[in-house]
Amino acid sequence: MIKVEIPGYRKLRLKFLVLDYNGTLGLDGKLKNGIKEKIDLLSKDLEVHIVTGDTFNTASQYLENINCKLEIAPKKGQDAFKLNYIELLGKENVVSVGNGRNDVLMLKAAMLGIAILGEEGLAREAILSCDIIVKNIIDAFDLLLNSKRLAASLRS
């Protein structure tokens, strides 16, 4: 569990990390460099879940031997599927990370929503639904590994 008290904002008690795959962990269906190592570090404190529409049908191949649970969302209603997924985990204990329109509901509902402005871009709706925006997934992971960075950015 990651515990962070952010002055003037909220107390975080994070148990679950829910990630999108394409545009967040992967580019053109391929896992980005450095992801496995960071997930291995984070999985010491958080249960890691990857929920994806799997556009390129490669997620299971690239996530093999990584300490995470993979869930493939249906072709239709991916946003509602992702929202339901984090609600079942207990959204008050979830940090979610994504970049697309199908991530909007989970970014908004999670206790902490992190949007990624990566190579695929960032959906306008995701910008308006997250708590914080970072330039890439490694920066998002580092926020969680060095949680005082969260307090520095989100405190009032």
Side-chain angles (χ1 to χ4, degrees), residues 108-155:
K108 191 172 191 172
M111 181 55 74
L112 178 65
I114 303 174
I116 303 294
L117 176 58
E119 298 92 335
E120 287 187 7
L122 174 59
R124 176 180 52 87
E125 296 90 341
I127 292 169
L128 301 173
S129 299
C130 68
D131 296 293
I132 192 166
I133 299 169
V134 295
K135 61 185 176 187
N136 59 54
I137 188 60
I138 298 300
D139 289 343
F141 288 155
D142 287 345
L143 279 177
L144 298 170
L145 290 167
N146 304 295
S147 58
K148 289 190 180 202
R149 292 181 184 179
L150 286 169
S153 293
L154 294 173
R155 67 180 175 227

Side-chain angles (χ1 to χ4, degrees), residues 3-152:
K3 296 178 184 178
V4 186
E5 186 166 342
I6 303 172
Y9 190 61
R10 51 176 83 141
K11 291 180 184 178
L12 304 176
R13 294 191 184 310
L14 305 171
K15 295 179 184 176
F16 306 101
L17 171 59
V18 178
L19 300 154
D20 174 50
Y21 183 76
N22 286 299
T24 302
L25 299 176
L27 179 63
D28 299 328
K30 298 175 184 169
L31 191 66
K32 295 178 187 180
N33 292 330
I35 302 296
K36 181 189 182 325
E37 296 78 13
K38 293 288 185 175
I39 289 177
D40 286 346
L41 283 173
L42 283 166
S43 68
K44 294 175 183 176
D45 295 315
L46 299 169
E47 190 175 293
V48 180
H49 298 255
I50 298 168
V51 183
T52 178
D54 202 16
T55 305
F56 298 92
N57 297 313
T58 57
S60 61
Q61 170 192 344
Y62 282 100
L63 295 171
E64 201 172 36
N65 300 318
I66 294 181
N67 192 12
C68 67
K69 295 180 180 183
L70 174 63
E71 187 72 35
I72 307 296
K75 297 293 180 206
K76 292 187 179 184
Q78 292 176 3
D79 56 348
F81 183 87
K82 290 180 177 188
L83 173 61
N84 185 60
Y85 194 90
I86 69 163
E87 286 177 340
L88 289 172
L89 290 174
K91 62 186 180 180
E92 65 280 357
N93 298 116
V94 172
V95 52
S96 65
V97 184
N99 73 311
R101 285 186 65 229
N102 67 357
D103 299 320
V104 167
L105 296 177
M106 77 169 186
L107 288 171
K108 191 172 191 172
M111 181 55 74
L112 178 65
I114 303 174
I116 303 294
L117 176 58
E119 298 92 335
E120 287 187 7
L122 174 59
R124 176 180 52 87
E125 296 90 341
I127 292 169
L128 301 173
S129 299
C130 68
D131 296 293
I132 192 166
I133 299 169
V134 295
K135 61 185 176 187
N136 59 54
I137 188 60
I138 298 300
D139 289 343
F141 288 155
D142 287 345
L143 279 177
L144 298 170
L145 290 167
N146 304 295
S147 58
K148 289 190 180 202
R149 292 181 184 179
L150 286 169

